[in-house]
Amino acid sequence: MNTISELLAATAERALPVVRGVTGDALTAPTPCPEYDVRALINHLLQVVVNFQALAAKQDADFSATPDRTAEGDWRETFADECARLVEAWARPGAEEGTTGALGLPARSVGHMVLADLTVHAWDLARATGQEYAPDPEVIAELGPAVEEMAPQARRYGAFGEKVSVPADAPPFARVLAVTGRDPQWSPR
């Protein structure tokens, strides 16, 4: 079994080129998340990456406000730095043990939440900005059952949309996207 830290490292490695490839003129483009344009999605993802560092340390995280980090300095490098801190936070002894956060969820489940966010939102950004993105197969093997398990609660909280229908023989990542409420064929046009 891979650790959350190892899986996050593999995901970050593939997400960073996508984030670095987002140009300034793409910040207002639509994304597969109807409530976010590219700028809002980047800001959300930065908030997730930072807050889940605290959750790995069994501290509470504040998701009440999302600052506009794209207005500050080099947000692409900030994202890279925060991803490195996220991987490090989940590598610390005990990060995957016990419960974490105000909801008192199992720590590994919370790790799956950030892994899903980083993986799926990297795809969202790639689709919105015309880039390629292929997640690590081991990450998808881990996420498949995890997103199925978290889907009912994630839908209640508005984190996932309604499941999208895909063919039974759809690739594993397409099935993950569908469970989170995304159409794997989505395009901005």
Side-chain angles (χ1 to χ4, degrees):
M1 176 170 64
N2 290 315
T3 67
I4 294 296
S5 179
E6 291 167 335
L7 295 166
L8 285 168
T11 296
E13 180 181 320
R14 292 171 184 235
L16 288 172
V18 173
V19 170
R20 287 184 173 129
V22 175
T23 60
D25 62 338
L27 293 174
T28 58
T31 72
C33 304
E35 67 276 16
Y36 295 134
D37 63 7
V38 169
R39 178 189 318 275
L41 184 57
I42 289 168
N43 285 317
H44 166 74
L45 193 50
L46 270 161
Q47 180 188 38
V48 164
V49 169
V50 169
N51 283 343
F52 276 84
Q53 294 170 39
L55 292 171
K58 310 294 190 277
Q59 300 167 352
D60 286 332
D62 181 8
F63 287 91
S64 63
T66 305
D68 183 3
R69 299 240 177 124
T70 62
E72 307 168 0
D74 189 348
W75 53 267
R76 293 168 190 86
E77 287 311 306
T78 298
F79 182 78
D81 293 344
E82 294 298 348
C83 280
R85 287 185 189 97
L86 178 70
V87 169
E88 181 182 301
W90 282 94
R92 290 191 186 110
E96 290 191 48
E97 298 168 8
T99 59
T100 190
L103 296 175
L105 294 172
R108 189 156 174 96
S109 295
V110 173
H112 284 144
M113 292 166 73
V114 69
L115 183 63
D117 256 345
L118 187 54
T119 304
V120 172
H121 287 324
W123 177 84
D124 292 333
L125 286 172
R127 294 300 282 200
T129 59
Q131 299 182 66
E132 294 297 317
Y133 175 73
D136 184 282
E138 288 185 34
V139 169
I140 298 309
E142 180 85 14
L143 277 181
V147 296
E148 287 285 353
E149 184 177 318
M150 69 176 84
Q153 185 174 7
R155 284 192 188 96
R156 277 195 301 277
Y157 287 104
F160 287 4
E162 288 304 313
K163 186 175 183 175
V164 172
S165 179
V166 293
D169 63 347
F173 187 45
R175 291 194 303 270
V176 166
L177 292 170
V179 170
T180 67
R182 284 161 177 80
D183 176 357
Q185 302 303 314
W186 186 92
S187 74
R189 291 176 196 19

